[in-house]
Amino acid sequence: GLVLANLAYETAFKRFGHLDRQLVLQLAVDLVFLTGFLNASGGLENPLFTIYLFPVIIARLLLEPRKAMMVTILAAWSFGFLAVGEYLHLLPHYTNFLFPHEAIPDQSPGGVTLQTVHPDGEHASYDLYFVLGRTIPFLIVLLATDYFAAGIIKKLRTSERDLENTARRALLEHQQLESVVDASGIGMMLVGPGIEVQWHSARLDRWFGWEGLENNSECPLFRARGGCAECLVAETLKSGKGREAERTERQHGSGEKFFRHSTAPIRNRQGRVVQVVEVIEETTSRRALEAEAIRAGKLSALGQMAAGIAHEIGNPLSSINTRLSLMERQTGDEYVAESIEVVKSQMERISRIVHGVSNFARSGEMARTRWEVNCLLSELLDV
């Protein structure tokens, strides 16, 4: 009967899937079978009637309080039905030879044999005091078991809900942390003492293709290179100090990229470094912007220098142009000779400016020379 019942449970669960209803039905059927088994093996005289406690405990573990209470009431009713049914001769009583009985002579021709009957000529299950002495205490124990089991299960479920809420909050905080780290534009990983990646942010997956990397796996950068030229994590684990370095990654299809790596130690209560946090920042765009800024600065400086050169050269060229215009009007030999000297001096001035610019582009010591101030003033007056 139990085998068939369990096959029916399995079939019903696969078809309908109502676990709570099936558990109530299964416990009810099991109580019916248990009552039948006990009735067939001595009834109250069988000490295994304490098995009635197990469906009560199982119901409290697996079912909601209202349905568990239904199972407890059904268990108490089944036990009471067994006790009262045998006492009132509604159920047949089968002798349990483990229960003590007194023998009376057997009048059969076979001689004297042991008869499993009570001294008053009946079984103990027909004795009111015996029935009450077994039934009332056990019902009290049954209800007390249900009460205490309900309290314990309630506390366990409360603790379980607290743990679930704590785990849910921790997961939410973990997701928020990952979102913040990812939104910050940096990659981050937590590395153990064996250079194993215990956690890494999603950005590293996109940068280095670590989608299939499992926690506590060896660092892919370390594995791919057979050991970095300078492993910052290993240095931090050894020295206990943070390190920084710039590295270049050649990636297929995207060319050369630049990354800035920095590490920080995590210590235990004894001060020993047990983990290392490594922060990775892509500096490719920043490098490009820095190069563009330097180029723009050079162009700006070149523009200012060109303006200065044009101004400096413009003065002697203006002087030369003015002298040539005057030479067209005054054709005297003396004035022409004087003008030629002025033009030559201005050409020398232009040469000095160009030479000075050329020397400015070179690195070297400053040259010192002597000049006559009167000569400079005379040249200025000529201009």
Side-chain angles (χ1 to χ4, degrees):
L2 282 176
V3 170
L4 294 176
N6 280 277
L7 291 176
Y9 301 148
E10 184 176 1
T11 303
F13 181 71
K14 289 181 178 179
R15 178 173 298 182
F16 303 108
H18 298 294
L19 181 61
D20 284 359
R21 296 179 184 176
Q22 179 174 324
L23 283 173
V24 173
L25 178 62
Q26 186 169 348
L27 289 171
V29 174
D30 287 350
L31 285 171
V32 172
F33 278 101
L34 174 60
T35 303
F37 291 152
L38 288 173
N39 174 248
S41 57
L44 295 184
E45 298 174 5
N46 189 340
L48 293 179
F49 66 84
T50 54
I51 296 177
Y52 276 107
L53 297 175
F54 290 109
V56 173
I57 297 173
I58 293 173
R60 282 297 176 184
L61 286 172
L62 302 179
L63 297 174
E64 61 183 23
R66 184 177 61 86
K67 294 180 180 179
M69 179 57 69
M70 292 172 54
V71 174
T72 301
I73 294 174
L74 183 59
W77 184 88
S78 299
F79 179 75
F81 175 76
L82 174 66
V84 175
E86 288 195 0
Y87 175 74
L88 297 178
H89 298 276
L90 298 175
L91 296 175
H93 178 76
Y94 298 94
T95 302
N96 182 349
F97 289 95
L98 298 177
F99 191 81
H101 295 84
E102 289 191 13
I104 61 174
D106 187 5
Q107 303 301 325
S108 64
V112 178
T113 58
L114 292 179
Q115 300 294 327
T116 53
V117 293
H118 198 260
D120 59 1
E122 293 183 343
H123 290 279
S125 295
Y126 300 144
D127 186 285
L128 179 61
Y129 297 107
F130 175 80
V131 173
L132 294 178
R134 281 281 177 103
T135 304
I136 295 176
F138 182 72
L139 289 177
I140 294 174
V141 170
L142 188 71
L143 295 176
T145 301
D146 177 73
Y147 175 78
F148 288 116
I152 294 173
I153 296 303
K154 183 179 179 180
K155 290 184 179 180
L156 289 176
R157 287 176 178 170
T158 301
S159 300
E160 184 179 0
R161 283 195 297 269
D162 293 341
L163 287 175
E164 288 179 353
N165 293 332
T166 302
R168 194 176 295 109
R169 287 195 299 269
L171 180 60
L172 180 60
E173 292 175 358
H174 177 76
Q175 293 174 345
Q176 290 175 345
L177 176 61
E178 286 193 340
S179 299
V180 170
V181 171
D182 191 63
S184 66
I186 62 174
M188 185 179 294
M189 61 179 176
L190 188 64
V191 187
I195 318 296
E196 73 277 7
V197 179
Q198 299 178 345
W199 171 83
H200 68 283
S201 62
R203 188 169 290 271
L204 296 183
D205 293 339
R206 298 193 292 271
W207 281 347
F208 305 126
W210 290 2
E211 288 82 359
L213 182 66
E214 298 180 355
N215 290 338
N216 297 318
S217 299
E218 187 181 43
C219 177
L221 298 177
F222 185 84
R223 182 173 62 245
R225 302 173 182 176
C228 298
E230 184 184 14
C231 182
L232 302 183
V233 174
E235 291 293 329
T236 302
L237 287 169
K238 182 179 179 180
S239 64
K241 298 180 180 178
R243 298 291 303 278
E244 293 185 3
E246 293 275 351
R247 286 177 178 160
T248 304
E249 293 285 340
R250 294 187 177 274
Q251 298 181 345
H252 180 70
S254 57
E256 200 173 52
K257 289 190 175 183
F258 300 91
F259 295 93
R260 177 178 174 272
H261 296 245
S262 60
T263 59
I266 298 178
R267 304 177 184 273
N268 58 12
R269 294 183 178 179
Q270 290 74 30
R272 187 168 59 90
V273 179
V274 293
Q275 291 174 316
V276 174
V277 175
E278 183 168 356
V279 178
I280 303 176
E281 178 185 5
E282 184 181 1
T283 58
T284 306
S285 301
R286 188 173 69 187
R287 282 198 170 209
L289 290 175
E290 290 176 352
E292 187 67 24
I294 292 174
R295 180 172 176 272
K298 289 181 178 179
L299 291 176
S300 176
L302 182 61
Q304 293 178 2
M305 186 173 63
I309 293 173
H311 175 73
E312 293 296 332
I313 293 179
N315 288 332
L317 287 178
S318 177
S319 177
I320 291 173
N321 185 50
T322 301
R323 179 63 66 168
L324 291 176
S325 297
L326 293 174
M327 287 174 64
E328 291 178 350
R329 302 174 188 176
Q330 302 182 24
T331 58
D333 293 340
E334 182 179 353
Y335 188 78
V336 170
E338 178 185 352
S339 298
I340 290 174
E341 290 298 325
V342 172
V343 170
K344 288 174 65 177
S345 66
Q346 296 305 308
M347 293 297 294
E348 289 177 357
R349 183 179 177 188
I350 293 174
S351 177
R352 288 198 305 271
I353 292 172
V354 174
H355 183 69
V357 172
S358 177
N359 286 337
F360 177 76
R362 301 193 189 103
S363 59
E365 296 182 357
M366 184 180 296
R368 296 175 179 269
T369 58
R370 288 182 176 272
W371 282 84
E372 291 290 340
V373 178
N374 289 337
C375 292
L376 293 177
L377 295 175
S378 177
E379 182 180 350
L380 179 62
L381 291 174
D382 290 339
V383 172

